[in-house]
Amino acid sequence: MRRHFNLYSQYFIGVLFGLGLIISGMSNPQKILNFLDITGNWDPSLIFVMGGAVIVGLAGFYLASKQTKGFFGSALHIPNRKDISRPLVIGSLIFGAGWGIAGFCPGPAIVALGAGHMKALVFVLAMLAGMAFCNRFFTGHKQQV
């Protein structure tokens, strides 16, 4: 029974996340590109979306740091590294470049793919290829949490 509750809660959280992405406009690549275009048709509305996400994330990490077990009783693993490593910077640059070129990041791309946007299909396939490439050639560089 507990396993089913866990699966249902994961499904509910995924649907809630997807709805949030749709309502906020994060699954619309043109809205993202307009947000990134500060010298042209700039749309600053996503600042509030991102600000809200940062606040929720900080609150979540604060609450999680006070716990020893996860919500369903499993072990809770919170990253404790605070250094800025070369792989982190390179990965961030690649992520930002992909976001700026396509107007998608992984979560919104999957939501847009579910809505039938072909541009999202190209992005998700490229993302999966990049993940496979990294798993194949950079498995020795995984960082400890």
Side-chain angles (χ1 to χ4, degrees), residues 11-104:
Y11 176 77
F12 173 75
I13 290 167
V15 168
L16 185 64
F17 179 67
L19 286 173
L21 292 173
I22 291 168
I23 292 168
S24 68
M26 292 288 291
S27 61
N28 178 357
Q30 193 55 52
K31 187 167 184 77
I32 302 301
L33 295 174
N34 286 345
F35 172 71
L36 296 173
D37 185 10
I38 58 174
T39 61
N41 190 24
W42 187 52
D43 178 1
S45 64
L46 292 182
I47 291 172
F48 298 105
V49 174
M50 292 179 193
V54 167
I55 291 169
V56 169
L58 288 173
F61 273 109
Y62 174 77
L63 293 173
S65 71
K66 304 294 182 195
Q67 305 298 315
T68 57
K69 291 186 175 186
F71 187 74
F72 295 106
S74 59
L76 187 63
H77 302 286
I78 297 175
N80 58 10
R81 290 189 64 169
K82 297 186 185 332
D83 61 319
I84 298 175
S85 65
R86 183 176 174 190
L88 175 66
V89 171
I90 292 169
S92 299
L93 290 171
I94 293 170
F95 178 91
W99 194 40
I101 291 168
F104 285 120

